[in-house]
PDB file of all heavy atoms in Angstrom:
ATOM      1  N   PRO Q  17     121.172  84.145  86.229  1.00  0.00           N
ATOM      2  CA  PRO Q  17     120.451  83.402  87.265  1.00  0.00           C
ATOM      3  C   PRO Q  17     120.846  83.870  88.657  1.00  0.00           C
ATOM      4  O   PRO Q  17     121.964  84.344  88.874  1.00  0.00           O
ATOM      5  CB  PRO Q  17     120.880  81.948  87.021  1.00  0.00           C
ATOM      6  CG  PRO Q  17     122.176  82.048  86.309  1.00  0.00           C
ATOM      7  CD  PRO Q  17     122.137  83.297  85.502  1.00  0.00           C
ATOM      8  N   VAL Q  18     119.918  83.739  89.586  1.00  0.00           N
ATOM      9  CA  VAL Q  18     120.148  84.105  90.981  1.00  0.00           C
ATOM     10  C   VAL Q  18     119.777  82.917  91.862  1.00  0.00           C
ATOM     11  O   VAL Q  18     118.724  82.314  91.685  1.00  0.00           O
ATOM     12  CB  VAL Q  18     119.270  85.309  91.396  1.00  0.00           C
ATOM     13  CG1 VAL Q  18     119.567  85.703  92.845  1.00  0.00           C
ATOM     14  CG2 VAL Q  18     119.477  86.485  90.460  1.00  0.00           C
ATOM     15  N   HIS Q  19     120.664  82.608  92.809  1.00  0.00           N
ATOM     16  CA  HIS Q  19     120.412  81.530  93.760  1.00  0.00           C
ATOM     17  C   HIS Q  19     120.356  82.138  95.164  1.00  0.00           C
ATOM     18  O   HIS Q  19     121.370  82.589  95.694  1.00  0.00           O
ATOM     19  CB  HIS Q  19     121.531  80.480  93.684  1.00  0.00           C
ATOM     20  CG  HIS Q  19     121.515  79.699  92.413  1.00  0.00           C
ATOM     21  ND1 HIS Q  19     121.491  78.320  92.385  1.00  0.00           N
ATOM     22  CD2 HIS Q  19     121.490  80.085  91.115  1.00  0.00           C
ATOM     23  CE1 HIS Q  19     121.477  77.897  91.130  1.00  0.00           C
ATOM     24  NE2 HIS Q  19     121.472  78.942  90.342  1.00  0.00           N
ATOM     25  N   LEU Q  20     119.186  82.121  95.751  1.00  0.00           N
ATOM     26  CA  LEU Q  20     118.993  82.701  97.082  1.00  0.00           C
ATOM     27  C   LEU Q  20     118.949  81.565  98.107  1.00  0.00           C
ATOM     28  O   LEU Q  20     118.020  80.756  98.112  1.00  0.00           O
ATOM     29  CB  LEU Q  20     117.684  83.493  97.123  1.00  0.00           C
ATOM     30  CG  LEU Q  20     117.653  84.723  96.211  1.00  0.00           C
ATOM     31  CD1 LEU Q  20     116.233  85.151  95.928  1.00  0.00           C
ATOM     32  CD2 LEU Q  20     118.429  85.858  96.849  1.00  0.00           C
ATOM     33  N   PRO Q  21     119.932  81.522  99.029  1.00  0.00           N
ATOM     34  CA  PRO Q  21     119.982  80.393  99.968  1.00  0.00           C
ATOM     35  C   PRO Q  21     119.167  80.636 101.232  1.00  0.00           C
ATOM     36  O   PRO Q  21     118.925  81.781 101.628  1.00  0.00           O
ATOM     37  CB  PRO Q  21     121.472  80.325 100.312  1.00  0.00           C
ATOM     38  CG  PRO Q  21     121.927  81.749 100.222  1.00  0.00           C
ATOM     39  CD  PRO Q  21     121.094  82.408  99.153  1.00  0.00           C
ATOM     40  N   CYS Q  22     118.779  79.527 101.862  1.00  0.00           N
ATOM     41  CA  CYS Q  22     118.065  79.588 103.142  1.00  0.00           C
ATOM     42  C   CYS Q  22     118.452  78.363 103.957  1.00  0.00           C
ATOM     43  O   CYS Q  22     118.368  77.237 103.463  1.00  0.00           O
ATOM     44  CB  CYS Q  22     116.557  79.618 102.901  1.00  0.00           C
ATOM     45  SG  CYS Q  22     115.574  79.739 104.415  1.00  0.00           S
ATOM     46  N   ASN Q  23     118.878  78.591 105.183  1.00  0.00           N
ATOM     47  CA  ASN Q  23     119.190  77.488 106.096  1.00  0.00           C
ATOM     48  C   ASN Q  23     118.071  77.316 107.106  1.00  0.00           C
ATOM     49  O   ASN Q  23     117.580  78.302 107.672  1.00  0.00           O
ATOM     50  CB  ASN Q  23     120.513  77.744 106.823  1.00  0.00           C
ATOM     51  CG  ASN Q  23     121.698  77.567 105.891  1.00  0.00           C
ATOM     52  OD1 ASN Q  23     121.706  76.686 105.058  1.00  0.00           O
ATOM     53  ND2 ASN Q  23     122.685  78.431 106.028  1.00  0.00           N
ATOM     54  N   HIS Q  24     117.687  76.091 107.334  1.00  0.00           N
ATOM     55  CA  HIS Q  24     116.631  75.779 108.319  1.00  0.00           C
ATOM     56  C   HIS Q  24     116.970  74.454 108.963  1.00  0.00           C
ATOM     57  O   HIS Q  24     116.275  73.448 108.769  1.00  0.00           O
ATOM     58  CB  HIS Q  24     115.233  75.778 107.678  1.00  0.00           C
ATOM     59  CG  HIS Q  24     115.198  75.445 106.220  1.00  0.00           C
ATOM     60  ND1 HIS Q  24     115.298  74.135 105.757  1.00  0.00           N
ATOM     61  CD2 HIS Q  24     115.083  76.226 105.121  1.00  0.00           C
ATOM     62  CE1 HIS Q  24     115.216  74.141 104.438  1.00  0.00           C
ATOM     63  NE2 HIS Q  24     115.099  75.394 104.020  1.00  0.00           N
ATOM     64  N   SER Q  25     118.024  74.469 109.766  1.00  0.00           N
ATOM     65  CA  SER Q  25     118.573  73.228 110.316  1.00  0.00           C
ATOM     66  C   SER Q  25     117.643  72.581 111.340  1.00  0.00           C
ATOM     67  O   SER Q  25     117.788  71.391 111.625  1.00  0.00           O
ATOM     68  CB  SER Q  25     119.940  73.494 110.949  1.00  0.00           C
ATOM     69  OG  SER Q  25     119.822  74.475 111.954  1.00  0.00           O
ATOM     70  N   THR Q  26     116.697  73.323 111.916  1.00  0.00           N
ATOM     71  CA  THR Q  26     115.796  72.746 112.924  1.00  0.00           C
ATOM     72  C   THR Q  26     114.422  72.407 112.335  1.00  0.00           C
ATOM     73  O   THR Q  26     113.457  72.222 113.080  1.00  0.00           O
ATOM     74  CB  THR Q  26     115.615  73.713 114.111  1.00  0.00           C
ATOM     75  OG1 THR Q  26     115.074  74.945 113.620  1.00  0.00           O
ATOM     76  CG2 THR Q  26     116.944  73.974 114.800  1.00  0.00           C
ATOM     77  N   ILE Q  27     114.354  72.291 111.027  1.00  0.00           N
ATOM     78  CA  ILE Q  27     113.080  71.996 110.367  1.00  0.00           C
ATOM     79  C   ILE Q  27     112.529  70.662 110.851  1.00  0.00           C
ATOM     80  O   ILE Q  27     113.272  69.712 111.096  1.00  0.00           O
ATOM     81  CB  ILE Q  27     113.268  72.004 108.841  1.00  0.00           C
ATOM     82  CG1 ILE Q  27     111.919  71.985 108.120  1.00  0.00           C
ATOM     83  CG2 ILE Q  27     114.165  70.855 108.379  1.00  0.00           C
ATOM     84  CD1 ILE Q  27     112.036  72.245 106.618  1.00  0.00           C
ATOM     85  N   SER Q  28     111.214  70.593 111.020  1.00  0.00           N
ATOM     86  CA  SER Q  28     110.584  69.333 111.410  1.00  0.00           C
ATOM     87  C   SER Q  28     109.937  68.686 110.189  1.00  0.00           C
ATOM     88  O   SER Q  28     109.789  69.318 109.141  1.00  0.00           O
ATOM     89  CB  SER Q  28     109.531  69.575 112.491  1.00  0.00           C
ATOM     90  OG  SER Q  28     108.399  70.207 111.923  1.00  0.00           O
ATOM     91  N   GLY Q  29     109.549  67.429 110.348  1.00  0.00           N
ATOM     92  CA  GLY Q  29     109.030  66.681 109.222  1.00  0.00           C
ATOM     93  C   GLY Q  29     107.755  67.241 108.621  1.00  0.00           C
ATOM     94  O   GLY Q  29     107.441  66.977 107.460  1.00  0.00           O
ATOM     95  N   THR Q  30     107.011  68.031 109.395  1.00  0.00           N
ATOM     96  CA  THR Q  30     105.739  68.559 108.898  1.00  0.00           C
ATOM     97  C   THR Q  30     105.844  70.005 108.417  1.00  0.00           C
ATOM     98  O   THR Q  30     104.853  70.607 108.044  1.00  0.00           O
ATOM     99  CB  THR Q  30     104.671  68.500 109.996  1.00  0.00           C
ATOM    100  OG1 THR Q  30     105.159  69.196 111.151  1.00  0.00           O
ATOM    101  CG2 THR Q  30     104.350  67.061 110.362  1.00  0.00           C
ATOM    102  N   ASP Q  31     107.050  70.575 108.443  1.00  0.00           N
ATOM    103  CA  ASP Q  31     107.233  71.961 107.994  1.00  0.00           C
ATOM    104  C   ASP Q  31     107.357  72.032 106.481  1.00  0.00           C
ATOM    105  O   ASP Q  31     108.184  71.332 105.892  1.00  0.00           O
ATOM    106  CB  ASP Q  31     108.499  72.568 108.606  1.00  0.00           C
ATOM    107  CG  ASP Q  31     108.344  72.937 110.057  1.00  0.00           C
ATOM    108  OD1 ASP Q  31     107.204  73.242 110.477  1.00  0.00           O
ATOM    109  OD2 ASP Q  31     109.361  72.933 110.774  1.00  0.00           O
ATOM    110  N   TYR Q  32     106.561  72.903 105.886  1.00  0.00           N
ATOM    111  CA  TYR Q  32     106.711  73.223 104.477  1.00  0.00           C
ATOM    112  C   TYR Q  32     107.597  74.460 104.342  1.00  0.00           C
ATOM    113  O   TYR Q  32     107.579  75.329 105.204  1.00  0.00           O
ATOM    114  CB  TYR Q  32     105.350  73.500 103.829  1.00  0.00           C
ATOM    115  CG  TYR Q  32     104.543  72.253 103.580  1.00  0.00           C
ATOM    116  CD1 TYR Q  32     103.935  71.571 104.622  1.00  0.00           C
ATOM    117  CD2 TYR Q  32     104.403  71.738 102.296  1.00  0.00           C
ATOM    118  CE1 TYR Q  32     103.207  70.420 104.400  1.00  0.00           C
ATOM    119  CE2 TYR Q  32     103.674  70.587 102.054  1.00  0.00           C
ATOM    120  CZ  TYR Q  32     103.086  69.928 103.117  1.00  0.00           C
ATOM    121  OH  TYR Q  32     102.368  68.783 102.883  1.00  0.00           O
ATOM    122  N   ILE Q  33     108.338  74.551 103.263  1.00  0.00           N
ATOM    123  CA  ILE Q  33     109.226  75.684 103.004  1.00  0.00           C
ATOM    124  C   ILE Q  33     108.515  76.614 102.021  1.00  0.00           C
ATOM    125  O   ILE Q  33     108.171  76.204 100.911  1.00  0.00           O
ATOM    126  CB  ILE Q  33     110.559  75.206 102.408  1.00  0.00           C
ATOM    127  CG1 ILE Q  33     111.230  74.210 103.359  1.00  0.00           C
ATOM    128  CG2 ILE Q  33     111.476  76.405 102.125  1.00  0.00           C
ATOM    129  CD1 ILE Q  33     112.231  73.306 102.675  1.00  0.00           C
ATOM    130  N   HIS Q  34     108.276  77.832 102.468  1.00  0.00           N
ATOM    131  CA  HIS Q  34     107.576  78.825 101.646  1.00  0.00           C
ATOM    132  C   HIS Q  34     108.514  79.975 101.328  1.00  0.00           C
ATOM    133  O   HIS Q  34     109.336  80.373 102.166  1.00  0.00           O
ATOM    134  CB  HIS Q  34     106.363  79.387 102.391  1.00  0.00           C
ATOM    135  CG  HIS Q  34     105.240  78.412 102.541  1.00  0.00           C
ATOM    136  ND1 HIS Q  34     104.021  78.588 101.915  1.00  0.00           N
ATOM    137  CD2 HIS Q  34     105.142  77.267 103.245  1.00  0.00           C
ATOM    138  CE1 HIS Q  34     103.231  77.570 102.230  1.00  0.00           C
ATOM    139  NE2 HIS Q  34     103.882  76.768 103.035  1.00  0.00           N
ATOM    140  N   TRP Q  35     108.348  80.566 100.152  1.00  0.00           N
ATOM    141  CA  TRP Q  35     109.069  81.781  99.778  1.00  0.00           C
ATOM    142  C   TRP Q  35     108.063  82.852  99.355  1.00  0.00           C
ATOM    143  O   TRP Q  35     107.142  82.576  98.562  1.00  0.00           O
ATOM    144  CB  TRP Q  35     110.046  81.518  98.631  1.00  0.00           C
ATOM    145  CG  TRP Q  35     111.281  80.788  99.055  1.00  0.00           C
ATOM    146  CD1 TRP Q  35     111.437  79.442  99.233  1.00  0.00           C
ATOM    147  CD2 TRP Q  35     112.564  81.371  99.328  1.00  0.00           C
ATOM    148  NE1 TRP Q  35     112.729  79.153  99.618  1.00  0.00           N
ATOM    149  CE2 TRP Q  35     113.440  80.312  99.674  1.00  0.00           C
ATOM    150  CE3 TRP Q  35     113.064  82.680  99.316  1.00  0.00           C
ATOM    151  CZ2 TRP Q  35     114.785  80.535 100.005  1.00  0.00           C
ATOM    152  CZ3 TRP Q  35     114.388  82.884  99.643  1.00  0.00           C
ATOM    153  CH2 TRP Q  35     115.238  81.822  99.989  1.00  0.00           C
ATOM    154  N   TYR Q  36     108.275  84.032  99.901  1.00  0.00           N
ATOM    155  CA  TYR Q  36     107.513  85.218  99.501  1.00  0.00           C
ATOM    156  C   TYR Q  36     108.526  86.297  99.135  1.00  0.00           C
ATOM    157  O   TYR Q  36     109.686  86.239  99.554  1.00  0.00           O
ATOM    158  CB  TYR Q  36     106.621  85.717 100.653  1.00  0.00           C
ATOM    159  CG  TYR Q  36     105.362  84.929 100.858  1.00  0.00           C
ATOM    160  CD1 TYR Q  36     105.400  83.654 101.416  1.00  0.00           C
ATOM    161  CD2 TYR Q  36     104.130  85.444 100.481  1.00  0.00           C
ATOM    162  CE1 TYR Q  36     104.249  82.912 101.590  1.00  0.00           C
ATOM    163  CE2 TYR Q  36     102.960  84.713 100.662  1.00  0.00           C
ATOM    164  CZ  TYR Q  36     103.029  83.451 101.211  1.00  0.00           C
ATOM    165  OH  TYR Q  36     101.874  82.718 101.382  1.00  0.00           O
ATOM    166  N   ARG Q  37     108.083  87.280  98.394  1.00  0.00           N
ATOM    167  CA  ARG Q  37     108.943  88.429  98.125  1.00  0.00           C
ATOM    168  C   ARG Q  37     108.122  89.706  98.275  1.00  0.00           C
ATOM    169  O   ARG Q  37     106.896  89.694  98.124  1.00  0.00           O
ATOM    170  CB  ARG Q  37     109.571  88.342  96.744  1.00  0.00           C
ATOM    171  CG  ARG Q  37     108.620  88.590  95.583  1.00  0.00           C
ATOM    172  CD  ARG Q  37     109.374  88.511  94.273  1.00  0.00           C
ATOM    173  NE  ARG Q  37     108.527  88.865  93.135  1.00  0.00           N
ATOM    174  CZ  ARG Q  37     108.942  88.865  91.884  1.00  0.00           C
ATOM    175  NH1 ARG Q  37     110.198  88.516  91.596  1.00  0.00           N
ATOM    176  NH2 ARG Q  37     108.123  89.201  90.908  1.00  0.00           N
ATOM    177  N   GLN Q  38     108.834  90.782  98.604  1.00  0.00           N
ATOM    178  CA  GLN Q  38     108.180  92.072  98.800  1.00  0.00           C
ATOM    179  C   GLN Q  38     108.900  93.125  97.970  1.00  0.00           C
ATOM    180  O   GLN Q  38     110.054  93.461  98.265  1.00  0.00           O
ATOM    181  CB  GLN Q  38     108.162  92.468 100.278  1.00  0.00           C
ATOM    182  CG  GLN Q  38     107.349  93.709 100.570  1.00  0.00           C
ATOM    183  CD  GLN Q  38     107.209  93.985 102.053  1.00  0.00           C
ATOM    184  OE1 GLN Q  38     107.975  93.503 102.870  1.00  0.00           O
ATOM    185  NE2 GLN Q  38     106.195  94.773 102.415  1.00  0.00           N
ATOM    186  N   LEU Q  39     108.209  93.605  96.957  1.00  0.00           N
ATOM    187  CA  LEU Q  39     108.737  94.689  96.138  1.00  0.00           C
ATOM    188  C   LEU Q  39     108.565  95.996  96.894  1.00  0.00           C
ATOM    189  O   LEU Q  39     107.707  96.107  97.787  1.00  0.00           O
ATOM    190  CB  LEU Q  39     108.012  94.744  94.794  1.00  0.00           C
ATOM    191  CG  LEU Q  39     108.472  93.749  93.719  1.00  0.00           C
ATOM    192  CD1 LEU Q  39     108.205  92.313  94.111  1.00  0.00           C
ATOM    193  CD2 LEU Q  39     107.840  94.054  92.382  1.00  0.00           C
ATOM    194  N   PRO Q  40     109.342  97.011  96.570  1.00  0.00           N
ATOM    195  CA  PRO Q  40     109.238  98.295  97.282  1.00  0.00           C
ATOM    196  C   PRO Q  40     107.825  98.847  97.259  1.00  0.00           C
ATOM    197  O   PRO Q  40     107.149  98.829  96.238  1.00  0.00           O
ATOM    198  CB  PRO Q  40     110.205  99.199  96.494  1.00  0.00           C
ATOM    199  CG  PRO Q  40     111.188  98.260  95.887  1.00  0.00           C
ATOM    200  CD  PRO Q  40     110.426  97.017  95.567  1.00  0.00           C
ATOM    201  N   SER Q  41     107.374  99.283  98.420  1.00  0.00           N
ATOM    202  CA  SER Q  41     106.064  99.932  98.591  1.00  0.00           C
ATOM    203  C   SER Q  41     104.883  99.019  98.248  1.00  0.00           C
ATOM    204  O   SER Q  41     103.800  99.511  97.913  1.00  0.00           O
ATOM    205  CB  SER Q  41     105.975 101.204  97.739  1.00  0.00           C
ATOM    206  OG  SER Q  41     106.990 102.114  98.102  1.00  0.00           O
ATOM    207  N   GLN Q  42     105.081  97.723  98.319  1.00  0.00           N
ATOM    208  CA  GLN Q  42     103.988  96.785  98.076  1.00  0.00           C
ATOM    209  C   GLN Q  42     103.921  95.764  99.205  1.00  0.00           C
ATOM    210  O   GLN Q  42     104.872  95.590  99.964  1.00  0.00           O
ATOM    211  CB  GLN Q  42     104.178  96.059  96.747  1.00  0.00           C
ATOM    212  CG  GLN Q  42     104.076  96.952  95.533  1.00  0.00           C
ATOM    213  CD  GLN Q  42     104.090  96.164  94.244  1.00  0.00           C
ATOM    214  OE1 GLN Q  42     103.751  94.992  94.211  1.00  0.00           O
ATOM    215  NE2 GLN Q  42     104.484  96.815  93.163  1.00  0.00           N
ATOM    216  N   GLY Q  43     102.779  95.082  99.298  1.00  0.00           N
ATOM    217  CA  GLY Q  43     102.685  93.961 100.213  1.00  0.00           C
ATOM    218  C   GLY Q  43     103.439  92.762  99.664  1.00  0.00           C
ATOM    219  O   GLY Q  43     103.723  92.689  98.470  1.00  0.00           O
ATOM    220  N   PRO Q  44     103.782  91.799 100.523  1.00  0.00           N
ATOM    221  CA  PRO Q  44     104.483  90.605 100.040  1.00  0.00           C
ATOM    222  C   PRO Q  44     103.637  89.832  99.043  1.00  0.00           C
ATOM    223  O   PRO Q  44     102.403  89.912  99.050  1.00  0.00           O
ATOM    224  CB  PRO Q  44     104.692  89.785 101.319  1.00  0.00           C
ATOM    225  CG  PRO Q  44     104.614  90.770 102.431  1.00  0.00           C
ATOM    226  CD  PRO Q  44     103.632  91.792 101.985  1.00  0.00           C
ATOM    227  N   GLU Q  45     104.305  89.075  98.153  1.00  0.00           N
ATOM    228  CA  GLU Q  45     103.604  88.195  97.241  1.00  0.00           C
ATOM    229  C   GLU Q  45     104.205  86.799  97.301  1.00  0.00           C
ATOM    230  O   GLU Q  45     105.416  86.628  97.488  1.00  0.00           O
ATOM    231  CB  GLU Q  45     103.614  88.723  95.796  1.00  0.00           C
ATOM    232  CG  GLU Q  45     104.964  88.762  95.133  1.00  0.00           C
ATOM    233  CD  GLU Q  45     104.893  89.142  93.664  1.00  0.00           C
ATOM    234  OE1 GLU Q  45     103.844  88.952  93.018  1.00  0.00           O
ATOM    235  OE2 GLU Q  45     105.921  89.630  93.153  1.00  0.00           O
TER     236      GLU Q  45
END
Side-chain angles (χ1 to χ4, degrees):
Chain Q
V18 182
H19 291 234
L20 295 160
C22 182
N23 287 322
H24 27 78
S25 58
T26 59
I27 192 170
S28 72
T30 55
D31 285 332
Y32 285 74
I33 302 158
H34 289 246
W35 285 82
Y36 282 73
R37 72 179 185 181
Q38 187 173 20
L39 279 65
S41 301
Q42 294 187 24
E45 66 174 336

